[in-house]
Amino acid sequence: MIRVLVADDHPVVLEGLHRLLSKHRDLQLVGEATDGDALIGLATSTLADVVLLDISMPGPGFAETIRRLRRERPRLAILVLSGQPESQYAVRVLKAGASGFLGKESLSDELANAIRVTAAGRRYIPPGVAETLLDSVSGLGACPPHESLSDREFEVLKGTALGKPVKQIAQELGLSPKTVSTYRRRVLDKLKVESQAEAIRYAVS
């Protein structure tokens, strides 16, 4: 039996994950969290094998959450789920220490397979991501602008693309609004765009 923790703050997604896990006798839901800090606590107190982590969940940010999970539970498999473009997120989450990455549109038998693969200690990389990851590791191909962003800058860009105001992004990341505004300016410079609207268009493309 593979024991699964679910970390997502969207009720509709949680319901879908519950239904999917219930269809497979070898998968068991053992807990759920709606923010990164709650997930860390739950992961340390629950005998889980795999955590399904929403990339946009409130809390310290996906990269920091992954790093903290790795420190607390080194053998816990971390499968990141995202509704955002694979090309912008997959390489970053894998470099942060995730066991795999999957788009939320794949909430089907593919997700069940990804859970089994990561629970067995292997990486799960969708076919469309494999070439991008290989180029990133080998240094081949042009480096896209978003790859130059720090984890914090990337989190701020993600929050901005989701339409979150500065105060909300600051609260979720544990930063001051002034610091978030500074990160937003740095994002514009690194993406070589002149406005937040252009940055948002970049993030969702």
Side-chain angles (χ1 to χ4, degrees):
M1 182 70 69
I2 299 174
R3 297 160 297 190
V4 182
L5 284 178
V6 174
D8 200 297
D9 64 327
H10 295 87
V12 174
V13 175
L14 285 174
E15 183 179 351
L17 290 171
H18 289 178
R19 285 201 303 268
L20 183 143
L21 293 173
S22 68
K23 293 179 181 178
H24 301 272
R25 293 184 179 181
D26 62 329
L27 306 180
Q28 178 186 12
L29 178 65
V30 294
E32 60 182 52
T34 56
D35 65 68
D37 291 323
L39 172 62
I40 301 298
L42 191 59
T44 57
S45 62
T46 304
L47 293 176
D49 303 301
V50 179
V51 58
L52 303 182
L53 174 63
D54 173 30
I55 200 171
S56 300
M57 191 175 60
F62 71 85
E64 178 60 22
T65 298
I66 291 171
R67 282 192 284 268
R68 288 171 62 183
L69 285 171
R70 280 278 166 258
R71 287 197 298 269
E72 299 293 335
R73 293 283 310 280
R75 296 188 178 182
L76 178 66
I78 304 169
L79 181 59
V80 176
L81 303 179
S82 174
Q84 306 301 318
E86 288 183 345
S87 61
Q88 294 186 26
Y89 288 84
V91 173
R92 188 173 290 266
V93 301
L94 291 168
K95 285 184 175 180
S99 309
F101 178 92
L102 197 62
K104 284 186 176 180
E105 70 278 3
S106 301
L107 297 185
S108 62
D109 288 340
E110 183 180 0
L111 176 57
N113 181 51
I115 292 172
R116 295 184 184 105
V117 169
T118 55
R122 304 193 303 273
R123 291 288 185 96
Y124 185 86
I125 304 173
V129 175
E131 185 174 350
T132 301
L133 181 62
L134 181 61
D135 287 347
S136 175
V137 172
S138 64
L140 298 176
C143 180
H146 63 268
E147 287 295 325
S148 68
L149 300 179
S150 68
D151 287 337
R152 281 301 194 194
E153 291 165 350
F154 194 79
E155 290 284 357
V156 169
L157 172 62
K158 179 162 60 69
T160 301
L162 293 172
K164 297 178 180 180
V166 169
K167 288 185 178 180
Q168 182 180 350
I169 297 173
Q171 183 178 19
E172 291 180 354
L173 296 180
L175 303 171
S176 70
K178 183 177 180 180
T179 299
V180 170
S181 295
T182 298
Y183 280 135
R184 291 179 80 170
R185 287 194 297 271
R186 291 179 184 172
V187 167
L188 296 184
D189 290 340
K190 290 186 177 182
L191 295 184
K192 295 180 172 57
V193 297
E194 297 182 356
S195 68
Q196 294 298 330
E198 289 183 72
I200 291 172
R201 283 196 293 272
Y202 179 96
V204 300
S205 63

